[in-house]
């Protein structure tokens, strides 16, 4: 199994190209099920999660082609579709649940496996289910599968979400494009990936108003057509690479980055002593003089500080001057990187949803284990700042969400290599 070996201490200088957003692409791909005409996505990231979604869609009867070295995904769902999303694929990735809304909208029925427990928390699907029930679906849980059906198709409805769930907003948004009448999603998630999905659906002929705000109104149409759509920049990959020069020193321009994608995060970086400047090509990040200062962070739905950058920010705080508090409010068990960072000499105390980090002068390299996607990259960032060698094992988590991490960091001067035989 692959591992990544990092030797800390090098300053970073240069450019890192930021890929298309994994989370946007995973929501855009199931939209192929809403139309019999082709849907082509450009600027797709080359990640194992994208391959998992391709396999799921193929198992449902869609044609999915990966072109231009994976940067273009050409999909077509012109034939009959199979309406059962099998556990064997769904268990690999929670985002598989995003086929539920489109299948229900297209066929009026679907059987989708529950994704099961995930390392970062329970992650139930009650918000998706309640929302689709409000649109006339009858949904039952049998043998680990959600059995959903409608009589005469989905109907537009007022759909208040008890929490602004990203996935539930995406599922309802897709389902509502083909429902009869008007759907109003209240307390909708406002993430940029929702806007990207709405933009693509609009190109396909959907009538959507308010994406990016808490109230999204969708007027159902009879059919959707095809579209070609570029996936937006990955704000989590962007934030992760913005932390690399912050933690190591130096300056890096993240190509394709925009301030509007990472505003809350960039404000925290500024407070910690890292400058972020928008350039015509992206975001230029440099550590200001002196040691990083401790700051407090609380994760929140967009536009707040993203939970998907909490682990990486903790890596930065491990060597900051002072004490920082990182509060996780989105997932109940998202501090599994903390024990691994302790092995590298960090000082972290986790009590419930708050991690208190007391900065140390220097971390020390150690063998550590990746526990989930964002945790694994936080250990790489910590390794870049540590003395000697850090070997991060179980990096299959990393490959789910970061393309060519060792090449991107290596190109700006990091000492990092992938080991295939350890
Ligand atoms: C998406 C992102 C993920 C990110 C998360 C929060 C994708 C593919 N993944 O995940 O990277 O960390 O948003 O920004 O886009 N919840 C329920 N019931 C539900 C649905 C969610 O209780 O029916 C809870 C979850 O357990 C979690 C919280 O709501 O505690 C947020 O979940 P949600 O916004 O749905 O996240 P995902 O769409 O799964």
């Amino acid at each position: 199994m692959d591992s990544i070996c990092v030797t800390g201490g090098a300053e970073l200088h240069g450019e890192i190209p930021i890929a298309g957003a994994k989370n946007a692409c995973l929501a855009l791909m199931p939209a192929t099920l809403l139309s019999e005409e082709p849907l082509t996505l450009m600027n797709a990231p080359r990640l194992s999660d994208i391959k998992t979604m391709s396999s799921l869609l193929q198992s449902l009867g869609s044609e999915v082609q990966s072109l231009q070295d994976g940067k273009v995904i050409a999909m077509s769902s012109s034939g009959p579709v199979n309406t059962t999303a099998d556990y064997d694929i769904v268990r690999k990735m929670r985002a598989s649940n995003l086929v539920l809304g489109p299948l229900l909208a297209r066929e009026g029925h679907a059987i989708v496996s529950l994704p099961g427990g995930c390392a970062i928390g329970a992650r139930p699907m009650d918000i998706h289910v309640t929302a689709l029930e409000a649109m006339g679906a009858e949904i039952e849980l049998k043998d680990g599968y959600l059995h959903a059906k409608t009589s005469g198709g989905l109907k537009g409805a007022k759909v208040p979400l008890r929490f602004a769930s990203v996935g539930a907003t995406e599922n309802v948004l897709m389902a509502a494009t083909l429902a009869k009448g008007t759907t109003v999603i209240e307390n909708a998630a406002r993430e940029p990936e929702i806007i990207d999905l709405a933009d693509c659906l609009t190109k396909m002929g959907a009538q959507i108003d308010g994406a990016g705000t808490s109230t999204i109104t969708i007027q159902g149409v009879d059919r959707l057509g095809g579209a070609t759509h570029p996936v937006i920049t990955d704000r989590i990959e962007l934030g992760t690479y913005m932390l690399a020069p912050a933690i190591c020193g130096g300056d890096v321009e993240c190509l394709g980055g925009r301030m509007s994608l990472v505003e809350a995060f960039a404000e925290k970086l500024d407070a910690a002593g890292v400058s972020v400047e928008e350039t015509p090509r992206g975001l230029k990040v440099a550590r200001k003089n002196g040691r990083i200062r401790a700051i407090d962070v609380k994760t929140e739905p967009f536009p707040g500080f993203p939970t998907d950058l909490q682990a990486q920010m903790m890596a930065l705080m491990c060597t900051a001057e002072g004490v920082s508090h990182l509060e996780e409010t989105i997932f109940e068990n998202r501090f599994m990187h903390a024990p691994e960072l302790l092995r590298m000499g960090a000082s972290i105390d986790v009590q419930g949803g708050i991690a208190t980090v007391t900065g140390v002068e220097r971390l020390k390299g150690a063998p550590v284990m990746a526990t989930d996607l964002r945790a694994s990259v936080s250990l790489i960032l910590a390794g870049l700042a540590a003395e000697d060698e850090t070997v991060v094992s179980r990096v299959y988590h990393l490959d789910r969400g970061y393309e060519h991490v060792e090449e991107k960091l290596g190109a700006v001067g990091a000492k990092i290599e992938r080991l295939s035989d350890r």
Side-chain angles (χ1 to χ4, degrees):
M1 203 180 294
D2 286 6
S3 48
I4 299 242
C5 177
V6 188
T7 308
E11 274 202 0
L12 307 183
H13 296 277
E15 303 171 348
I16 299 182
I18 306 300
K22 168 181 87 76
N23 287 352
C25 199
L26 289 175
L28 289 161
M29 291 174 73
T32 179
L33 295 167
L34 294 167
S35 171
E36 297 197 344
E37 287 172 39
L39 174 61
T40 302
L41 301 175
M42 325 286 284
N43 193 36
R46 278 80 53 95
L47 301 169
S48 62
D49 269 9
I50 300 299
K51 288 192 184 139
T52 303
M53 183 57 86
S54 300
S55 306
L56 175 60
L57 291 170
Q58 282 163 339
S59 79
L60 298 176
S62 304
E63 281 171 36
V64 183
Q65 268 183 296
S66 168
L67 307 171
Q68 293 183 26
D69 193 25
K71 279 204 140 186
V72 174
I73 303 173
M75 295 172 292
S76 167
S77 308
S78 54
V81 301
N82 160 19
T83 51
T84 301
D86 211 68
Y87 180 60
D88 271 351
I89 302 182
V90 174
R91 71 185 164 80
K92 291 189 187 156
M93 181 182 72
R94 178 174 163 86
S96 306
N97 63 22
L98 294 173
V99 299
L100 176 61
L103 283 176
L104 257 185
R106 180 180 177 128
E107 299 293 326
H109 57 93
I111 301 177
V112 175
S113 168
L114 273 186
C118 161
I120 61 174
R123 305 183 88 179
M125 278 196 66
D126 60 301
I127 305 174
H128 303 240
V129 168
T130 309
L132 293 167
E133 282 174 346
M135 298 174 71
E138 285 170 41
I139 304 181
E140 242 190 310
L141 177 64
K142 271 193 278 185
D143 307 325
Y145 282 76
L146 292 173
H147 290 245
K149 60 180 184 198
T150 64
S151 46
L154 289 169
K155 295 176 188 66
K158 192 162 114 173
V159 182
L161 306 184
R162 75 163 169 83
F163 173 81
S165 153
V166 175
T169 303
E170 291 166 343
N171 245 331
V172 178
L173 179 56
M174 287 191 274
T177 57
L178 293 177
K180 285 195 190 75
T182 306
T183 300
V184 181
I185 311 176
E186 293 175 349
N187 195 27
R190 292 180 283 164
E191 270 66 3
E193 293 74 25
I194 306 275
I195 303 179
D196 201 37
L197 175 61
D199 284 349
C200 177
L201 293 169
T202 302
K203 282 182 200 160
M204 294 167 73
Q207 292 190 13
I208 301 167
D209 228 22
T213 74
S214 299
T215 307
I216 308 180
T217 306
I218 306 111
Q219 184 69 52
V221 296
D222 288 340
R223 59 177 294 280
L224 293 180
T228 297
H229 180 79
V231 179
I232 50 159
T233 299
D234 195 316
R235 64 196 166 92
I236 306 302
E237 193 197 27
L238 170 63
T240 301
Y241 289 126
M242 287 167 74
L243 280 166
I247 214 161
C248 300
D251 59 280
V252 167
E253 190 168 10
C254 296
L255 304 180
R258 279 181 287 129
M259 195 61 109
S260 57
L261 291 172
V262 284
E263 211 122 35
F265 172 72
E267 270 171 30
K268 290 292 177 188
L269 280 186
D270 183 62
V274 179
S275 76
V276 183
E277 184 200 332
E278 205 158 34
T279 69
R281 303 170 70 212
L283 292 180
K284 192 159 193 172
V285 184
R287 186 150 102 194
K288 298 176 198 165
N289 288 333
R291 198 167 152 196
I292 292 291
R293 290 186 292 278
I295 46 149
D296 292 342
V297 163
K298 181 178 177 182
T299 64
E300 286 171 330
F302 193 86
F305 190 99
T307 174
D308 286 350
L309 285 172
Q310 177 260 111
Q312 300 89 312
M313 187 55 122
M314 187 184 289
L316 179 69
M317 288 301 110
C318 283
T319 56
E321 187 159 24
V323 178
S324 62
H325 303 94
L326 299 146
E327 184 176 357
E328 176 57 60
T329 74
I330 308 293
F331 293 108
E332 73 269 29
N333 184 21
R334 208 175 197 182
F335 287 130
M336 283 167 316
H337 39 287
E340 301 299 316
L341 290 167
L342 288 180
R343 293 173 50 76
M344 300 177 69
S347 166
I348 305 166
D349 178 38
V350 176
Q351 300 286 341
I354 300 183
T356 303
V357 183
T358 307
V360 296
E361 283 278 345
R362 198 81 207 263
L363 293 173
K364 296 204 171 51
V368 288
M369 196 175 288
T371 50
D372 72 51
L373 169 52
R374 308 303 171 185
S376 47
V377 84
S378 78
L379 298 173
I380 290 181
L381 288 173
L384 292 175
E387 268 168 27
D388 304 327
E389 199 180 89
T390 296
V391 177
V392 184
S393 57
R394 291 175 68 178
V395 291
Y396 56 87
H397 288 293
L398 191 75
D399 297 331
R400 289 186 43 212
Y402 291 91
E403 57 171 46
H404 311 309
V405 71
E406 61 278 19
E407 284 167 34
K408 288 191 182 187
L409 286 170
V412 292
K415 293 192 184 123
I416 178 168
E417 59 176 328
R418 182 176 287 254
L419 309 171
S420 300
D421 55 346
R422 279 164 81 160

